[in-house]
Amino acid sequence: MKEDQLSPGRRSLLRAAAALGATATVSLVAVEGFGRSAPPGTPPAAGAPAPPAAAPSASASGAAGPEAVPLAGSPVNASAYRLRPITSYAPPAVRRALPPVRSRPFLKLSGAGRAMVLTFDDGPDPRYTPGILKTLREYGVPAMFFVCGEMADAHRDLLREMADDGHVIGNHTWSHPLIPSLPPSRIRDELGRTSEVVDRELGRAPLWYRAPFGAWNKHSFEIGAELDMEPLAWTVDTLDWTEPSTATIVRRVRDGAGPGVVVLSHDAGGDRTQSVAALRTYLPWLLEQGYRITVPRR
Ligand SMILES: [Zn+2]
């Protein structure tokens, strides 16, 4: 959307966002409307990651209003600090300023030209994650994996493989709960335990997190910031968890491709055979179209 098409309200929000962004490595671009389009899904059974039951639609990019993060900064060095008890997990005390408390997640990249971000949620899963990693490796592109702590804890070899390949590990909570249904202490536990597992295995905690079902709330933004994480949602939802066919997933990515677009897929939470197969088709297509597949840096 061009700025000259924006409503006065949105323009003022943009100005406010720009002022906020001037003090951070990540800047907001547009905000109006988010929060009405992310209905929470049915909570999964306790203890098991489940497919997102009601994520924003495949056309979320238009309805939700873009909020974008620039490609900026550089990878953060591994931190060295003592692990703390699970329920009081905290990010390193001194590394840089913690991010501000957001009121909505980022939805796309800005200022990155023909760059796109591929994200995979709910894993790692030994049935599907290796296939995703193999394809990404074949084309030499990085992606983001928003892992569930209990999956990462059970499949640490895959977590390490993701990191060794240069992918960005994000925090997708421990057990994939519906965040707004939890008290703050549980939200902190879900996010904190997951960061701790990643940190213990890789030497650095996640710098990004994503709410299950795209259902965020104020507490999640506060706790995410306390844990030194920025919230990232997505621009295009492949709805791959509905197993719509490999061809349909490919079409959704192709139709939704564009500068700064963040694509949501899954490498766990159900039968992800189609998701693995689709990547093998749409990734080379995106590259042929001149898209650079990248990851945001903080
Ligand atoms: Zn999920």
Side-chain angles (χ1 to χ4, degrees):
M1 176 181 290
K2 295 176 183 175
E3 187 169 354
D4 59 9
Q5 296 173 309
L6 299 177
S7 67
R10 180 171 290 227
R11 275 198 293 271
S12 66
L13 285 167
L14 275 169
R15 282 194 295 273
L20 278 175
T23 63
T25 56
V26 172
S27 64
L28 309 185
V29 167
V31 289
E32 189 176 50
F34 189 82
R36 295 193 300 267
S37 60
T42 304
S57 72
S59 60
S61 56
E67 183 157 356
V69 54
L71 288 173
S74 57
V76 175
N77 294 329
S79 58
Y81 60 97
R82 294 180 58 199
L83 289 173
R84 304 171 192 211
I86 278 174
T87 52
S88 64
Y89 178 79
V94 178
R95 188 171 61 196
R96 56 161 177 252
L98 293 176
V101 176
R102 306 289 180 188
S103 57
R104 53 195 62 77
F106 294 101
L107 302 178
K108 63 187 303 186
L109 299 179
S110 70
R114 277 176 85 79
M116 287 177 58
V117 179
L118 304 180
T119 69
F120 300 91
D121 287 10
D122 298 0
D125 185 321
R127 294 170 295 178
Y128 310 109
T129 306
I132 301 280
L133 289 172
K134 179 173 180 288
T135 302
L136 295 172
R137 195 177 301 134
E138 187 176 324
Y139 290 93
V141 302
M144 297 181 81
F145 287 87
F146 285 89
V147 302
C148 285
E150 64 181 4
M151 299 293 282
D153 192 37
H155 307 293
R156 293 181 177 223
D157 54 333
L158 287 172
L159 187 69
R160 179 163 292 283
E161 195 174 332
M162 291 170 175
D164 288 347
D165 281 2
H167 303 303
V168 171
I169 311 298
N171 184 327
H172 197 43
T173 74
W174 184 266
S175 63
H176 210 276
L178 185 61
I179 279 180
S181 71
L182 302 180
S185 61
R186 282 285 312 282
I187 299 171
R188 178 180 296 282
D189 191 46
E190 285 277 343
L191 290 172
R193 290 179 72 191
T194 302
S195 284
E196 181 170 325
V197 163
V198 174
D199 189 20
R200 188 188 298 145
E201 186 65 25
L202 304 180
R204 57 185 183 278
L207 297 174
W208 297 89
Y209 71 107
R210 174 177 283 168
F213 315 107
W216 316 74
N217 70 357
K218 183 166 80 71
H219 297 303
S220 70
F221 292 122
E222 292 169 350
I223 293 165
E226 287 171 17
L227 295 176
D228 192 17
M229 297 189 292
E230 289 276 26
L232 180 66
W234 56 86
T235 323
V236 170
D237 188 350
T238 63
L239 299 172
D240 59 337
W241 58 273
T242 66
E243 301 174 36
S245 83
T246 299
T248 299
I249 296 170
V250 170
R251 179 179 55 75
R252 285 175 177 155
V253 174
R254 292 173 63 144
D255 289 351
V261 161
V262 177
V263 177
L264 168 63
S265 302
H266 298 80
D267 61 330
D271 186 341
R272 299 292 169 257
T273 306
Q274 294 177 3
S275 309
V276 176
L279 177 67
R280 293 201 62 77
T281 299
Y282 68 71
L283 177 52
W285 182 86
L286 290 172
L287 295 171
E288 286 166 12
Q289 301 306 303
Y291 286 105
R292 184 167 53 92
I293 307 302
T294 187
V295 288
R297 297 292 187 190
R298 287 183 56 208

